[in-house]
Amino acid sequence: MGKRRKPSPPSRARLAVLTTAVAGGAVLASGTAHAEPAPTLASVKEQVDRLNEEAEQAIERFNGFQEKQQKLQGEANRIQEKVARGQEAMNELRTQLGVVGAEQYRNNGIDPGIQLMLDSDPASYLGRAAVQDQVAGSWTDLLKRAQDEQRKLDQERTEAAATLADLDAVGASLNAQKNQIQSKLAQSEALLNKLSAEERAKINAQEAADKAKAAAQQAAAAERAKAADKEAADKAKAAAAAAKETAGKGGTPAPQTAAPQTPAANTPAPAANTPAPVTNTPAPPAAGGRAAAIVQFAYAQLGKPYGWSKTGPSSFDCSGLTGAAYRAANVSLPRTSQEQWKIGTRIGRGDLQPGDLVFFYPDLHHVGVYIGDGKMIHAPRTGKNIEVLPIGVMPYMGAVRP
């Protein structure tokens, strides 16, 4: 038998390949073990919707701070103008006091009795003495006026300082809200950028399907309510005919009771923080008039982009659009949705008329213009355009007719 040959040691190149393969396998195994599951389209949409809602809440707060800042700036300007006028008045008084003081000093250097004795013309002296008395009276009056003006000036300066301090605080809050808005919108955009065009299309299709479903549900509920009203009216008509026939035969008609009101099917129950039911609803607005101007303006904005904190004419946020629509009808609304909720008459959902303001979410951070048939025109959110939307798509809180 020949001698066994010892296996030759692996070359350096082979060792490098083996080492790389083993290390790569270890990394792959480790990566597989700790890999996070890819987010689903539903979870991405949920996060994007949440971030956009939080951004809109911050936008309405921003709008409120901005409106307050504008009012404070106007107040500060008015007070500072008063301070400037007061300072001018004080400067003029000081000049007058200087003149009167110098005259008094010149004339009162010698005792009046001695001056009379030494004067070669006593009548002339007495005339000058009368003038000196007038000067003394003027001095007293000027001093009093100067003291009053100084107190007033000090008060106005204190008021101006307080207003400017409030203005600085509101400006800081404004910047904080702006940073929060930009952060929320950036996070939302980053999530969407991770999606492919196909995935984005699926999300848009889902949103469209949700809108169509809400519209169909509202139409069905309206048909059921219409049918219930017709049934109640038919029963009342039949009862009236029966009573008339009985009376014609000489009988005593049975007492009639009002037909019970049948609620519309699938009418949503009031959500938490939903305002109490409305009573004494005012009559619908006349055709043509204010309501028509509001709705026509809202229709004319369809397709324009949402712009946060914008009030037109090229872009709007939700309360900016409603405020502009009412301005078209010569009605002034507050800047934010929460403040717009506080004016006018509350309207029940069944009594909505075109031109009414409709509000959403428990904190009322979204508002639109009702246009009839269960729909509104609203400015949705960043990245979207002004659109028509069924009011059932979002958590409905109530309506106001300013």
Side-chain angles (χ1 to χ4, degrees), residues 31-32 100 116 119 173 185-186 194 262 291 295 353:
T32 303
V100 173
L116 177 61
D119 200 299
S173 298
L185 295 178
K194 292 179 181 179
T262 306
V295 173
Q353 293 292 332

Side-chain angles (χ1 to χ4, degrees), residues 19-384:
T19 303
T20 302
V22 171
V27 170
L28 182 60
S30 173
T32 303
H34 296 88
E36 295 182 0
T40 63
L41 277 182
S43 67
V44 170
K45 183 179 183 305
E46 182 180 353
Q47 291 180 70
V48 168
D49 289 345
R50 176 180 55 79
L51 287 167
N52 279 300
E53 185 179 338
E54 291 172 355
E56 189 173 17
Q57 291 171 329
I59 287 167
E60 287 303 294
R61 290 193 295 269
F62 178 92
N63 291 338
F65 281 123
Q66 191 175 56
E67 183 178 44
K68 187 175 181 181
Q69 183 188 51
Q70 292 168 353
K71 289 180 179 178
L72 282 172
Q73 186 64 66
E75 181 69 10
N77 293 341
R78 183 185 65 80
I79 296 172
Q80 287 175 326
E81 287 175 1
K82 285 176 63 179
V83 169
R85 290 195 299 269
Q87 188 62 60
E88 289 178 2
M90 276 301 303
N91 293 341
E92 183 178 348
L93 282 171
R94 283 178 180 144
T95 300
Q96 294 178 29
L97 282 169
V99 171
V100 173
E103 181 68 22
Q104 195 174 49
Y105 175 79
R106 284 193 301 270
N107 293 333
N108 290 348
I110 303 175
D111 180 85
I114 296 174
Q115 195 170 0
L116 177 61
M117 290 173 62
L118 298 175
D119 200 299
S120 59
D121 187 356
S124 175
Y125 169 78
L126 292 175
R128 291 197 305 272
V131 171
Q132 290 172 19
D133 288 341
Q134 292 177 0
V135 169
S138 298
W139 173 262
T140 302
D141 290 343
L142 284 172
L143 278 177
K144 186 176 183 305
R145 282 175 57 196
Q147 290 170 348
D148 291 343
E149 285 293 334
Q150 188 63 56
R151 279 194 296 268
K152 184 179 176 183
L153 186 59
D154 291 342
Q155 182 179 352
E156 288 171 350
R157 282 176 173 160
T158 301
E159 187 180 353
T163 302
L164 289 172
D166 289 344
L167 192 58
D168 288 342
V170 169
S173 298
L174 199 64
N175 288 333
Q177 293 302 319
K178 183 176 182 179
N179 292 337
Q180 185 177 2
I181 293 165
Q182 291 173 335
S183 173
K184 299 292 183 186
L185 295 178
Q187 292 177 57
S188 173
E189 188 63 26
L191 283 170
L192 290 173
N193 285 339
K194 292 179 181 179
L195 300 178
S196 66
E198 183 181 358
E199 288 171 325
R200 285 200 183 200
K202 286 182 179 179
I203 287 181
N204 292 335
Q206 182 60 52
E207 288 182 352
D210 291 342
K211 292 176 184 178
K213 181 179 179 182
Q217 289 174 341
Q218 285 188 174
E223 285 299 318
R224 286 191 291 270
K226 185 177 179 181
D229 289 344
K230 185 177 184 305
E231 182 181 358
D234 290 344
K235 286 182 179 179
K237 185 177 180 181
K244 183 177 180 181
E245 183 179 354
T246 301
K249 293 179 180 179
T252 303
Q256 301 297 314
T257 57
Q261 295 295 319
T262 306
N266 291 338
T267 300
N273 299 327
T274 301
V278 179
T279 57
N280 299 323
T281 302
R290 189 182 80 165
I294 293 166
V295 173
Q296 287 168 7
F297 179 91
Y299 267 102
Q301 312 316 308
L302 288 174
K304 290 185 179 180
Y306 177 96
W308 67 270
S309 196
K310 300 297 183 182
T311 58
S314 57
S315 62
F316 302 82
D317 62 17
C318 68
S319 55
L321 175 63
T322 52
Y326 269 75
R327 281 197 302 275
N330 297 317
V331 178
S332 177
L333 295 184
R335 177 62 182 92
T336 67
S337 58
Q338 290 92 343
E339 291 301 314
Q340 290 177 4
W341 167 258
K342 296 177 183 178
I343 64 171
T345 304
R346 302 286 166 81
I347 304 297
R349 188 164 181 167
D351 298 313
L352 283 169
Q353 293 292 332
D356 291 342
L357 298 177
V358 282
F359 296 83
F360 305 88
Y361 299 99
D363 65 349
L364 307 169
H365 71 258
H366 194 76
V367 61
V369 175
Y370 187 72
I371 58 173
D373 196 26
K375 297 174 183 176
M376 68 171 173
I377 291 176
H378 77 137
R381 61 175 173 81
T382 299
K384 299 288 185 179

